[in-house]
Amino acid sequence: MTSNLPDQPLPKHLPADERRAATVKTVIDLAAEQNPSEITTTVIAQRMGLTQGALFRHFPKKTDIFQAVICWVADTLLARIDAAAAGVESPLVALEAVFMAHVGFVAKHPGVPRILFGELQQAGETLPKQRVQSLMQQYGKRLTVLLEAGKAQGELVADLDVGAAKALFLGSIQGLVVQSMMGNRVASIGEGAPDAFAIYRRGIRNAL
């Protein structure tokens, strides 16, 4: 799945890859406006100006659509945090760059957290839910590398509990997301991000 989503309305007749990318973008846009569980193939097709039959030629089932959405989110988010941390010698500075890159991604795609939270709440082990869990595991591994490097270089406290630090890092972002969703201001999530990370940094940094 390409990480490039179209920003403008597209013609009805498109190559398969472009149509799938347009479908992913449509679902993410719709999720910013309504409960993802209420997004039906009928709603998706109507928003895209297609018949359900045309949509089903690319995605036989609704689950396939959401699987593609989660794959796009995972690939794009991980690529962004990797790019944010690349070449940064200070693990603590890299952690801040990752934090801000993640927040920026959510601000640009406010439907994403609604989709991820919705999938994680599913009772069964659906393929999209498993992909979200895989995303969190891969993200966690990247945080572990940075946190361990920070301890090794003396930037972070020597007895830092890496597992707890990872949970708090992600929890801080999730807290910002929930707060912004309560006020229906997900696109403005970045406003509180610097202060949130500053509090996190004070808790893990080696003050010596």
Side-chain angles (χ1 to χ4, degrees):
M1 174 70 64
T2 176
S3 62
N4 297 317
L5 295 184
D7 293 323
Q8 302 296 329
L10 296 170
K12 291 186 177 182
H13 302 291
L14 290 172
D17 287 348
E18 292 183 32
R19 176 62 67 207
R20 284 190 284 268
T23 304
V24 167
K25 180 182 185 302
T26 298
V27 172
I28 293 174
D29 289 346
L30 285 167
E33 304 166 10
Q34 63 186 89
N35 189 329
S37 65
E38 298 174 356
I39 300 175
T40 65
T41 53
T42 299
V43 170
I44 297 169
Q46 288 176 344
R47 174 63 70 92
M48 298 180 70
L50 301 174
T51 64
Q52 285 196 72
L55 185 62
F56 288 147
R57 282 199 290 274
H58 301 285
F59 298 100
K61 303 185 298 296
K62 177 182 173 180
T63 303
D64 296 332
I65 297 175
F66 275 81
Q67 174 76 350
V69 170
I70 299 301
C71 285
W72 180 85
V73 170
D75 292 345
T76 306
L77 178 56
L78 291 175
R80 289 199 178 194
I81 65 174
D82 285 345
V88 180
E89 294 185 4
S90 164
L92 189 54
V93 173
L95 282 166
E96 183 173 9
V98 168
F99 190 95
M100 299 307 297
H102 189 157
V103 170
F105 177 75
V106 172
K108 186 174 181 180
H109 305 289
V112 165
R114 292 177 180 270
I115 294 170
L116 298 184
F117 289 158
E119 292 301 331
L120 288 173
Q121 291 171 5
Q122 296 293 330
E125 288 299 317
T126 66
L127 287 175
K129 179 178 180 179
Q130 291 173 359
R131 190 66 182 90
V132 174
Q133 293 169 333
S134 175
L135 164 61
M136 300 311 297
Q137 291 171 357
Q138 293 177 67
Y139 197 136
K141 289 178 181 178
R142 287 162 167 79
L143 293 179
T144 295
V145 170
L146 291 175
L147 291 165
E148 291 289 4
K151 290 176 64 176
Q153 295 179 27
E155 281 194 331
L156 308 184
V157 292
D159 61 349
L160 179 69
D161 184 326
V162 171
K166 284 193 300 182
L168 185 57
F169 183 99
L170 294 171
S172 297
I173 295 175
Q174 290 166 358
L176 289 170
V177 170
V178 171
Q179 186 176 32
S180 65
M181 288 174 67
M182 289 174 61
N184 198 27
R185 298 176 64 251
V186 179
S188 301
I189 183 177
E191 294 175 3
D195 288 342
F197 189 83
I199 294 171
Y200 176 78
R201 179 173 54 231
R202 283 197 293 271
I204 66 172
R205 183 175 54 188
N206 188 349
L208 298 179

